[in-house]
Amino acid sequence: MSMRLIPGSSRLVLLAAALWLMAVSVATPKATEQAAKPADPHNNLPLFTHSDNCVACHNNLSTASGEDVSIGSMWRATIMANSSRDPYWQASVRREAIEHPSHAAEIEDECASCHMPMPARVAREAGARGEVFSHLPIGKDQSDAQRLADDGISCTVCHQIAADKLGTRESFNANFVIKPIPADGARVIYGNYDVDAGRRRIMRSVTGYQQEAAPHIKQSELCASCHTLITKAFGPDGSVIGELPEQMNYQEWQHSDFAREQRSCQSCHMPKADGPIRISSVLGETRDSLARHTFVGGNAHMLRLMNRFRNELGITALPAELEATARATERQLQQDTATIAVSEPRFEGGRLAFDVRVTNLTGHKFPTGFPSRRTWLHVTIRSGRGNVVFESGAIADSGSIHGNNSDQAAGTYEPHYEEITSADQVQIYEPILGDPAGAPTTGLLSATQYLKDNRLLPRGFDKATAAAEIAVFGGARSDADFASGGDRIRYRVPVSDDGPFRVDVELRYQSIGYRWASNLEPFKGTEPARFISYYKATSAGSSVVVASATVTR
């Protein structure tokens, strides 16, 4: 017998509340590091609620084939959920605050707005600034503000973002709009589907929120509000000396075929699980699909680093959950990110010559986002006897790349190549930031320009018409083979020993380049010192092979 939802039915509301309380007891993470605490859906911070109050109903979900697609357990093992715990972010904020002391409070506020968005927005609504270091270490107490800081980029952040101003500069740097509390006190939570009045009443009764279907929740403009970051640069005296388009994922996507094909950020980073499927374990309706809340990106190294140092960082996701997200990240990198092809080698004047074609499969530059990321070609040639007769781009256990100028000495960097002729040349696709004097820097708030940006372009990206904020810089700008969809580079290298020669080519990716990590060492503080120790302990596993190819001559 089915139960009919009747508006005004107090019996159904009581039943739903009882089911919700039962769900809380089974949905809360069981990691030993997390102290048990009853969830309070009506806490005294009215802008947001803790994720515990959402996963109570949005866990214990599975597809018809039996795949576990529980929203809560997927999300809590992501970089999004652990944004405030990210030790590299914490170290970077400290570095910038030390380097620009007169702007320290402003820097914390800006950085907290994306990585600790809930307490930062609460502070701003009260006329104050968001803070970072007052909330560290994560999990230091169970106050409402601290729990929201610990919760990272949580459910009631993304699902409360209104459509107002999305896709405009006014919304970037986490300046998204959250609607004020209406007169009846019910906050709106946006989702993919219309929900009947009975279920809306139930959700409001137990959480204080009620659902509303909104198309913008599936659009790239929603993601752009935090993943577009324009930073101000400061001089030694604290004056503003310029600005930098630091992260332009959305604008890169807009200039690609992916935007024209209406393939949004969510279509790749929240891959769909086909229905029939319920999206709530408590009185949930069957839907045609569910967006997996895995938020797969390119940061497998950080996920494993956080897993290894989980106790110190206050990680609540289970070890197996974090490892599953790291593996999903590697799968996306290796299956959906890039391909390489190598032409048949030929001899030219005593040298072995061949071309390598790299194709970007993503809808933005690869890599994109935070400028510590890089991808490069590791090329090895072996003789018929198995001896290595040429190698370019090998990575050391320290995370540095052999032959890369920047990793060998600060203040230098590897240029873009159209042809490689010696082992000390490496084709690295990366951004290099510059200060006003043209010196390379990893200081985000000291940078005013790009000295090099040869990150692989997405399909349909015309570098000749690209806006300055997403332009190509350095030698790649004049390289006719560096164009929409990727790059073609020629190798013409000396070889010795006897053939046949085997050419192995790897496209490797690293989310935190060696120079970006090592440049934190001079900044004395708990967070930089801790991250440097973590990086050194994990750097041997800091890169991923995205694609590979082998040919023989």
Side-chain angles (χ1 to χ4, degrees):
M1 181 175 71
S2 62
M3 179 180 290
R4 184 182 176 195
L5 296 179
I6 304 174
S9 170
S10 58
R11 176 183 296 177
L12 185 54
V13 170
L14 289 172
L15 173 60
L19 288 170
W20 176 82
L21 289 171
M22 292 173 60
V24 167
S25 68
V26 300
T28 301
K30 296 299 190 296
T32 57
E33 296 85 352
Q34 184 179 26
K37 176 181 171 67
D40 177 9
H42 303 298
N43 62 50
N44 59 9
L45 295 175
L47 282 175
F48 303 102
T49 192
H50 193 275
S51 60
D52 284 354
N53 301 315
C54 304
V55 303
C57 291
H58 294 288
N59 259 356
N60 305 309
L61 306 174
S62 59
T63 64
S65 63
E67 178 191 355
D68 185 355
V69 289
S70 298
I71 292 172
S73 56
M74 279 188 166
W75 164 82
R76 76 184 181 195
T78 66
I79 295 292
M80 298 279 279
N82 293 287
S83 60
S84 61
R85 298 175 172 89
D86 181 341
Y88 182 49
W89 169 72
Q90 294 174 7
S92 298
V93 178
R94 181 67 78 184
R95 177 244 168 99
E96 298 293 347
I98 291 172
E99 197 162 30
H100 307 284
S102 63
H103 293 280
E106 179 184 350
I107 290 166
E108 285 195 53
D109 177 60
E110 184 87 348
C111 296
S113 65
C114 281
H115 280 256
M116 289 181 175
M118 292 188 288
R121 182 57 69 102
V122 169
R124 288 183 176 186
E125 291 287 327
R129 281 174 163 166
E131 298 178 353
V132 173
F133 302 116
S134 65
H135 294 298
L136 299 181
I138 293 297
K140 68 177 187 177
D141 62 53
Q142 287 295 297
S143 66
D144 288 325
Q146 183 62 42
R147 293 186 75 234
L148 293 182
D150 298 351
D151 216 26
I153 303 165
S154 191
C155 318
T156 53
V157 178
C158 297
H159 286 277
Q160 281 197 94
I161 295 176
D164 308 47
K165 302 179 181 179
L166 289 182
T168 71
R169 179 157 180 161
E170 290 178 271
S171 71
F172 301 154
N173 288 35
N175 287 310
F176 47 80
V177 173
I178 290 180
K179 295 289 190 182
I181 302 174
D184 64 1
R187 299 200 66 84
V188 172
I189 205 87
Y190 299 109
N192 288 345
Y193 297 104
D194 284 314
V195 178
D196 63 68
R199 286 181 171 84
R200 285 205 308 274
R201 182 166 177 259
I202 290 167
M203 183 165 171
R204 178 182 174 183
S205 71
V206 295
T207 69
Y209 295 83
Q210 61 184 20
Q211 309 95 315
E212 181 178 312
H216 74 268
I217 204 76
K218 298 185 287 186
Q219 295 170 354
S220 296
E221 287 72 14
L222 181 83
C223 309
S225 56
C226 277
H227 290 280
T228 301
L229 187 58
I230 302 165
T231 52
K232 290 186 292 187
F234 304 117
D237 62 352
S239 62
V240 176
I241 57 174
E243 66 177 25
L244 181 80
E246 183 203 307
Q247 298 180 44
M248 291 283 126
N249 314 40
Y250 171 68
Q251 289 74 11
E252 294 162 12
W253 170 83
Q254 279 188 309
H255 199 57
S256 78
D257 283 347
F258 281 64
R260 292 181 278 276
E261 295 163 0
Q262 298 185 331
R263 296 175 60 183
S264 69
C265 307
Q266 294 89 329
S267 68
C268 292
H269 297 282
M270 299 180 71
K272 184 173 68 174
D274 292 327
I277 189 171
R278 291 198 307 163
I279 61 174
S280 172
S281 57
V282 179
L283 301 177
E285 290 184 276
T286 298
R287 303 297 190 184
D288 59 4
S289 66
L290 179 149
R292 292 180 177 90
H293 284 55
T294 48
F295 300 105
V296 284
N299 218 338
H301 176 213
M302 180 55 68
L303 290 164
R304 291 192 171 115
L305 184 153
M306 289 194 294
N307 213 357
R308 179 169 173 176
F309 299 102
R310 54 185 299 106
N311 292 336
E312 296 174 35
L313 296 172
I315 303 296
T316 57
L318 298 174
E321 292 171 343
L322 277 173
E323 178 58 25
T325 305
R327 290 180 180 176
T329 299
E330 288 182 333
R331 280 196 300 273
Q332 173 155 298
L333 283 167
Q334 294 169 344
Q335 296 176 9
D336 303 318
T337 300
T339 61
I340 56 175
V342 184
S343 67
E344 182 179 355
R346 58 205 179 274
F347 283 104
E348 294 180 357
R351 290 174 174 258
L352 193 65
F354 54 91
D355 295 338
V356 177
R357 173 69 192 179
V358 188
T359 300
N360 178 9
L361 304 179
T362 74
H364 43 65
K365 292 181 181 180
F366 176 63
T368 191
F370 195 76
S372 66
R373 301 166 183 173
R374 60 186 181 181
T375 191
W376 72 96
L377 291 173
H378 175 210
V379 176
T380 308
I381 302 175
R382 291 178 172 84
S383 70
R385 299 177 183 179
N387 298 321
V388 174
V389 296
F390 176 86
E391 187 169 22
S392 164
I395 186 168
D397 286 347
S398 64
S400 63
I401 302 172
H402 292 297
N404 176 24
N405 292 337
S406 177
D407 289 353
Q408 294 172 358
T412 62
Y413 62 95
E414 198 75 1
H416 174 83
Y417 293 100
E418 296 184 32
E419 181 179 80
I420 281 183
T421 58
S422 65
D424 62 352
Q425 299 172 329
V426 188
Q427 185 72 316
I428 306 175
Y429 302 105
E430 62 182 348
I432 297 292
L433 309 186
D435 67 16
T441 181
T442 56
L444 298 176
L445 305 185
S446 299
T448 58
Q449 61 180 313
Y450 285 90
L451 306 179
K452 172 189 177 185
D453 187 353
N454 68 335
R455 290 174 291 178
L456 294 161
L457 305 177
R459 175 170 49 85
F461 188 109
D462 183 352
K463 66 181 181 181
T465 61
E469 61 190 5
I470 55 172
V472 175
F473 291 93
R477 176 178 286 186
S478 58
D479 180 357
D481 292 322
F482 181 89
S484 164
D487 182 35
R488 184 178 65 85
I489 179 172
R490 188 183 195 207
Y491 285 77
R492 194 169 63 86
V493 300
V495 293
S496 57
D497 213 338
D498 298 325
F501 293 99
R502 171 177 155 169
V503 179
D504 295 304
V505 182
E506 295 176 331
L507 181 68
R508 300 192 75 97
Y509 165 77
Q510 195 177 40
S511 57
I512 305 173
Y514 172 83
R515 179 55 53 199
W516 282 83
S518 61
N519 275 3
L520 291 171
E521 289 199 71
F523 296 92
K524 304 306 179 185
T526 300
E527 297 82 11
R530 182 176 63 179
F531 177 72
I532 287 294
S533 71
Y534 291 171
Y535 189 84
K536 289 180 178 178
T538 60
S539 56
S542 64
S543 71
V544 176
V545 176
V546 174
S548 61
T550 299
V551 294
T552 302
R553 173 66 165 86

